[in-house]
Amino acid sequence: MAATFRRRLRRGAASTAVAALVLAALTASQSPAGAKNTAAKGPEPTPADTPIDGGAAYYTDLPPLNSPVPPRGSNDPRPDGDGIVTGPAQAGIPATVLAAYKKAESEIRAADPGCRLPWQLLAGIGKVESGQARGGAVDAEGTTLQPILGPQLNGNGFARITDTDGGRYDGDRTHDRAVGPMQFIPSTWSQGGPAGTGWGADGNGDGKKDPNNVFDAALAAGTYLCAGGRNLSVQQDLDSAVLGYNHSEEYLRTVLSWFAFYRTGSYEVPDGKGVLPAHRPGANGTRDHANGSTEGRTGHGRGTGDTAGNRLHPGRTKPNGPAKPGGSGDGHTGSHTPGGDHTPGTPETPGTPQTPGGKPTPTPKPPTKPTTPASPTALQQAGDQDLTTTAGTDFTTKPQVRAVDAAGKPIAGVPVRFTLPGTTDARFPGGATTAIVTTGKDGLATAPTLHAGDKTGDFTLRATAVGRTAPAVDIKATVKAKPAPKVDLLTRTSDKELTATAGHAFAEDAVEIKATYQGKIAAGVPITATMITDDPDHPVQNDKGPYFKDPQATGDNKDKPLRTLTGLTTDADGLLKLPKIYTDTHPGTFLLRLTTPNGTTLTLKLKIAAPAKTA
């Protein structure tokens, strides 16, 4: 296994021009036009001023030129790891790491379907940031076997970020370091984010947010990439998301290269058997799991292969021009050495692409340029408009709107944000209060399933077209109270006579009752307790005799007699102990009636004796 960890990627001697042509067929971002657009627009503002990885170093290996083909029996390789592979080894992704990427994609698709996050994008970032968690060196829960740390962010070639976590995540009490499979810096992990508590996430459901865990880190990375209403199927949003992770045009091109590569095919390999990125001659030091040195990774330098000692400060670099087949100055030109380093050289002229086997590679067709959806003039509420459910349950009807133009025709590709007000505790999946969905061909955008909380009443959900001027649509929803549990019998748990002396209280916990339905415990049953008159035909609330005190009252009202008490509920065992019962100066026999919402009653006698006469 140690040999596997130290194995270097070997790229063929094909020219960079071939790589550029093949990648152009895989993704528009790799075409001259796509690169031009990226360079021209620049990154959009990100949720934090500092990139997710703090501008730390990253691996610059490019994917091989031949498309991945899954190995025969790749799910059951031989023990020595030398299973028969018919495609490049770089297409293999360690099992646990791959599972983490796919799980993150699934969870984000449910919470934010409009983002359209593909797991292959997470895989591209994971490859560039940590070599897929150092070839899948993780335990069964997805936590790295040894820390994966970036260089110290002390301003020497990288951003200067003094310690923000007391060494909790990176073990460094002077400066921060990027941490874990997706290389989050501690301040990004624990600060900012949609809730102000950081971008960190609990992806494996263990109740912890650990940047060293690939499930947690993958979900956190996906959440960040989708932030701000991004639709990652739109090139501009995709570019800005990746650039927000690391402010480098070369980083963007490298990640998108792997993204495109994985989209053409990949396969699962055992943990610890993933191919590691090649080490780069000229980089300072030897990269170690725990010490954060930087062999094989590049910082924010452009063009001619900056080494660890000659990296530019993030945010102060100037992106080169667009990547062109055979061009220079983009960090992807010149010849490729077998060792994987990126040596600048004389640009080559594109010829007939050749694969390592000698067979010609077909010249790809130019990619189509992404189009921007037309702007809608209106949003209209669509579908079933009866959004009603009971507390604690899902709405059976999903909020839905249609985007239309001035002629009333549907418009596809419009991102629609559904926003819940602060007056409700209803939530979208994952506890989200907003969800962004892109309209389909029919112009419809359907929000994720909405779950009602415990709060009852009406609220208004708002749908807005992101980045458009179309008026918002308000969608009304109602949460009804849960139906009260059924009760067919109320009984007292003691047969001891209830007695007291006028002017004195009954014993503490004198009255305890039990509620059942068809012989079974009835928990959570609301009960009303009323002191009533003894009129058998028309009993009403009494105005004398025993009484309760309002537990919520204050000041002069806290001792005021209360002869009807609501808000009482049976516990998990169907039991209810009544609050303390007081008496006034009237002796006699009085009645206490207990009533449930479905009409089941129990009437108890309270006997009050006159106070003893004094001599």
Side-chain angles (χ1 to χ4, degrees):
M1 183 174 295
T4 302
F5 286 161
R6 295 185 178 89
R7 183 171 55 189
R8 301 184 177 197
L9 294 180
R10 298 284 179 175
R11 289 198 295 269
S15 70
T16 304
V18 177
L21 286 171
V22 173
L23 291 174
L26 302 179
T27 174
S29 67
Q30 298 303 100
S31 70
K36 182 177 180 180
N37 290 339
T38 299
K41 66 177 178 58
E44 295 177 357
T46 58
D49 293 332
T50 305
I52 288 294
D53 66 1
Y58 58 88
Y59 292 104
T60 58
D61 300 72
L62 290 174
L65 301 183
N66 50 321
S67 298
V69 179
R72 185 174 63 191
S74 61
N75 290 328
D76 186 23
R78 290 181 292 181
D80 58 5
D82 296 327
I84 300 174
V85 178
T86 60
Q90 296 93 327
I93 301 177
T96 300
V97 178
L98 180 60
Y101 296 151
K102 292 185 175 181
K103 188 174 187 294
E105 178 198 53
S106 177
E107 290 192 21
I108 291 174
R109 184 190 300 121
D112 188 2
C115 175
R116 299 186 178 182
L117 170 73
W119 67 261
Q120 292 92 340
L121 179 59
L122 296 174
I125 292 174
K127 180 70 173 180
V128 172
E129 291 288 352
S130 70
Q132 311 298 18
R134 300 292 296 168
V138 297
D139 62 21
E141 302 301 320
T143 302
T144 56
L145 300 179
Q146 294 180 350
I148 301 176
L149 301 177
Q152 189 181 66
L153 299 176
N154 56 12
N156 183 21
F158 304 105
R160 176 178 174 81
I161 305 176
T162 56
D163 179 54
T164 62
D165 67 332
R168 175 185 177 187
Y169 295 119
D170 57 10
D172 193 326
R173 293 179 178 271
T174 59
H175 294 85
D176 275 352
R177 296 170 180 255
V179 179
M182 304 303 279
Q183 290 289 278
F184 276 82
I185 55 174
S187 58
T188 306
W189 185 262
S190 58
Q191 299 172 19
T197 57
W199 292 98
D202 178 13
N204 61 354
D206 64 355
K208 298 182 294 183
K209 297 178 181 180
D210 182 3
N212 296 295
N213 182 277
V214 70
F215 287 95
D216 293 358
L219 181 58
T223 301
Y224 167 76
L225 293 169
C226 290
R230 293 188 184 111
N231 177 354
L232 298 182
S233 66
V234 175
Q235 191 66 48
Q236 184 175 2
D237 284 1
L238 174 63
D239 290 353
S240 69
V242 176
L243 285 169
Y245 213 102
N246 187 305
H247 297 164
S248 164
E249 293 286 334
E250 181 183 351
Y251 179 88
L252 171 66
R253 286 190 287 270
T254 306
V255 167
L256 293 184
S257 297
W258 283 105
F259 171 43
F261 177 71
Y262 288 132
R263 293 193 78 167
T264 63
S266 62
Y267 57 90
E268 178 184 302
V269 298
D271 290 343
K273 296 294 184 179
V275 177
L276 295 180
H279 298 315
R280 180 179 175 183
N284 293 341
T286 301
R287 181 163 184 82
D288 180 78
H289 297 287
N291 67 12
S293 54
T294 57
E295 182 183 9
R297 290 162 64 95
T298 184
H300 289 284
R302 305 290 195 274
T304 59
D306 295 303
T307 64
N310 186 32
R311 296 186 179 110
L312 303 177
H313 192 288
R316 299 178 186 171
T317 59
K318 195 170 183 179
N320 291 322
K324 297 180 181 179
S328 63
D330 63 0
H332 286 177
T333 59
S335 60
H336 295 281
T337 64
D341 63 329
H342 214 179
T343 305
T346 303
E348 300 182 26
T349 302
T352 302
Q354 297 287 329
T355 63
K359 296 182 180 180
T361 301
T363 301
K365 297 179 180 180
T368 57
K369 185 178 180 180
T371 58
T372 301
S375 293
T377 58
L379 291 179
Q380 303 170 343
Q381 186 174 354
D384 189 347
Q385 299 187 16
D386 181 20
L387 269 66
T388 302
T389 192
T390 55
T393 64
D394 290 340
F395 284 82
T396 56
T397 300
K398 296 180 180 180
Q400 187 179 65
V401 296
R402 177 181 280 107
V404 297
D405 60 17
K409 294 182 179 180
I411 300 178
V414 177
V416 176
R417 178 183 288 111
F418 295 90
T419 304
L420 293 166
T423 56
T424 180
D425 58 356
R427 293 293 183 267
F428 291 116
T433 57
T434 63
I436 297 179
V437 183
T438 303
T439 58
K441 293 181 179 179
D442 54 4
L444 290 176
T446 304
T449 300
L450 187 59
H451 182 80
D454 295 328
K455 196 170 185 178
T456 60
D458 299 333
F459 66 90
T460 300
L461 171 73
R462 173 158 290 190
T464 54
V466 179
R468 274 70 169 183
T469 58
V473 170
D474 288 338
I475 303 172
K476 296 189 180 300
T478 301
V479 178
K480 296 181 178 179
K482 294 180 181 179
K486 292 183 179 180
V487 179
D488 58 14
L489 182 62
L490 292 176
T491 57
R492 189 170 166 232
T493 58
S494 172
D495 57 3
K496 185 178 180 180
E497 188 175 48
L498 297 170
T499 60
T501 301
H504 298 274
F506 284 82
E508 293 279 356
D509 301 329
V511 180
E512 181 183 59
I513 61 170
K514 182 176 183 180
T516 58
Y517 180 70
Q518 296 181 350
K520 296 182 180 179
I521 291 171
V525 178
I527 292 179
T528 299
T530 307
M531 302 296 178
I532 61 172
T533 61
D534 59 359
D535 185 339
D537 297 324
H538 302 286
V540 295
Q541 178 179 295
N542 212 330
D543 60 358
K544 60 183 178 181
Y547 62 90
F548 301 103
K549 290 182 180 180
D550 187 351
Q552 306 298 325
T554 59
D556 294 338
N557 292 325
K558 66 180 180 179
D559 292 326
K560 185 178 180 179
L562 185 67
R563 291 189 168 88
T564 296
L565 189 60
T566 59
L568 304 172
T569 307
T570 60
D571 63 16
D573 297 320
L575 299 174
L576 170 65
K577 290 182 179 180
L578 295 188
K580 193 173 184 178
I581 300 174
Y582 300 86
T583 68
D584 58 14
T585 60
H586 296 84
T589 300
F590 298 87
L591 300 180
L592 167 61
R593 175 164 290 180
L594 305 168
T595 308
T596 68
N598 68 330
T600 301
T601 62
L602 173 65
T603 302
L604 303 176
K605 290 183 178 182
L606 303 178
K607 295 183 178 181
I608 301 176
K613 293 181 180 181
T614 59

